[in-house]
Amino acid sequence: MLQLSDPHLLREGQGRYRGRTPFAQLRHGLEQAMAQLSAPPDLLLISGDLCQDESWGGYVQLRNLLTASGLPLALLPGNHDHPVLLQAVLGRHAALAPTALRLGPWRLLLLSSHRCGDGGGWLGAGQRTWLRQCLHHDLSPTLVAVHHPPLPIGDPGFDAIGLRDGPELAAILQETSSAAMLLCGHVHQHWQGLLGAEPGLPVLACPSTLCAFEAVQPCPLGRGQDPGGRLLELHPDGRWSQRLLRWSPWLEPAADVSET
């Protein structure tokens, strides 16, 4: 499974955000990630903040790019998303959170942490109940994915807008041995931690395809300022392995003097 995150697309394909063209950076990032793989992935997961301006046009840009790739798709909404528009534009083309997917002997549970008007995340009682039922009714090795990290990463800014019911999520995941790992986005950097009491559930945050924020942990590849993604290999016996991917940003053309 290939994980990308936080593309922050805009209505206009050539529009810029944080000095970069999000659509071009995502297209470039997908090409660069695929070039580093020995075979096409069985699933492409993009873990939230899909559309910065929460526009119909931004989701159309995403749909056109992703359907052209031919890859099976799973998408999470982030705080910079509009779940209704996301469903309207991509609901026929991708698995959208909250839902469950089978990946061979594995199961992938996609959670939506979007909360209207809040930079932080929230699952809510209904989704937590659904998650608990999924984990107790099927003991297959399980991968959980959510946009917001469910625990502090050590950055005050991001820790203030993390998953607000992260402790409740941790308690649910510790009730069963089937949960093997949790994936998230939001923080624009590689980060690894453990959720809950010993031995703890591994938590992996994914870099952004658009831009990096100041890293809390050193990048294993020494490229903390570059865009990136993550490759997950899920083995039939319940073991898993992962590899961080990095690439140089797409070279932006000079900005027009009229650009604001």
Side-chain angles (χ1 to χ4, degrees):
M1 186 179 75
L2 173 63
Q3 182 189 7
L4 303 177
S5 199
D6 295 82
H8 291 270
L9 299 181
L10 301 170
R11 179 176 62 86
E12 296 293 339
Q14 299 305 312
R16 293 199 184 193
Y17 176 61
R18 293 186 176 271
R20 292 183 176 177
T21 309
F23 178 78
Q25 295 293 345
L26 176 59
R27 180 180 58 198
H28 172 74
L30 181 57
E31 293 170 351
Q32 292 296 307
M34 294 291 289
Q36 297 183 47
L37 307 185
S38 58
D42 296 301
L43 184 72
L44 170 61
L45 167 69
I46 305 184
S47 49
D49 280 0
L50 308 171
C51 188
Q52 171 65 27
D53 59 7
E54 302 179 16
S55 65
W56 180 274
Y59 292 117
V60 169
Q61 298 279 351
L62 182 64
R63 181 192 64 194
N64 292 345
L65 174 63
L66 296 185
T67 55
S69 75
L71 297 173
L73 306 171
L75 303 174
L76 305 179
N79 47 295
H80 293 293
D81 274 308
H82 192 302
V84 174
L85 292 183
L86 172 61
Q87 176 67 45
V89 178
L90 281 138
R92 295 175 55 196
H93 305 281
L96 304 180
T99 194
L101 294 177
R102 298 300 310 192
L103 296 173
W106 281 74
R107 178 179 51 176
L108 171 60
L109 299 180
L110 304 175
L111 301 178
S112 173
S113 58
H114 174 87
R115 192 182 195 187
C116 186
D118 190 351
W122 181 254
L123 300 177
Q127 198 170 189
R128 295 196 306 266
T129 298
W130 172 79
L131 174 64
R132 179 179 281 111
Q133 291 172 344
C134 288
L135 292 172
H136 283 279
H137 292 168
D138 185 343
L139 298 182
S140 302
T142 300
L143 178 63
V144 178
V146 63
H147 176 66
H148 293 81
L151 74 171
I153 70 165
D155 180 294
F158 278 117
D159 292 346
I161 54 170
L163 187 66
R164 303 199 188 283
D165 50 357
E168 290 88 341
L169 173 60
I172 293 170
L173 296 175
Q174 289 182 88
E175 294 173 2
T176 174
S177 60
S178 62
M181 175 177 34
L182 186 144
L183 302 176
C184 58
H186 190 52
V187 296
H188 288 233
Q189 61 191 278
H190 156 81
W191 186 87
Q192 293 181 240
L194 295 172
L195 181 66
E198 293 290 342
L201 182 75
V203 176
L204 302 177
C206 186
S208 165
T209 60
L210 178 66
C211 62
F213 292 162
E214 185 174 356
V216 173
Q217 298 175 351
C219 173
L221 302 178
R223 301 180 63 178
Q225 293 305 306
D226 282 339
R230 196 179 296 279
L231 176 67
L232 285 300
E233 296 192 44
L234 308 176
H235 302 283
D237 60 1
R239 293 180 301 110
W240 58 270
S241 57
Q242 61 88 21
R243 178 160 62 98
L244 180 66
L245 307 174
R246 294 284 193 181
W247 50 83
S248 298
W250 181 69
L251 184 60
E252 296 279 351
D256 190 282
V257 292
S258 62
E259 182 179 329
T260 58

